[in-house]
Amino acid sequence: MRTFFLQAFPDEETDMCELWLGTLLEEFPSLEDIVTAARAQGYDLSGLSREAIVSMIKESGKPTPPSIGEQLGIVR
């Protein structure tokens, strides 16, 4: 999807998704974008190691060709 995504499940009993960001193609192209969006909704990210952050940023920098859905015009 060429976007960062984030899900938060604060209640272990109900397993209800409290926060779900990055469901659209290229919605959050950078890690900074999604962290800012989460903070705007009152959430803060914690527990990510430096190595995990660097790995996510490296992975997001790899060029990705359009998917078959994009090529056929059924995904925007």
Side-chain angles (χ1 to χ4, degrees):
M1 287 184 56
R2 295 186 306 271
T3 188
F4 282 91
F5 63 92
L6 174 66
Q7 293 177 309
F9 299 90
D11 191 336
E12 293 179 12
E13 289 182 24
T14 64
D15 200 35
M16 296 295 294
C17 183
E18 182 73 22
L19 179 69
W20 194 349
L21 300 173
T23 59
L24 303 174
L25 186 66
E26 299 177 350
E27 185 176 5
F28 297 103
S30 76
L31 187 56
E32 182 180 359
D33 292 335
I34 200 159
V35 169
T36 300
R39 287 182 177 155
Q41 293 191 33
Y43 292 88
D44 196 16
L45 302 176
S46 63
L48 287 174
S49 68
R50 184 180 195 289
E51 292 79 22
I53 293 169
V54 169
S55 176
M56 285 187 277
I57 292 170
K58 280 183 181 178
E59 184 69 24
S60 70
K62 294 178 182 177
T64 306
S67 69
I68 188 72
E70 290 173 279
Q71 293 174 30
L72 295 173
I74 57 176
V75 175
R76 293 184 279 139

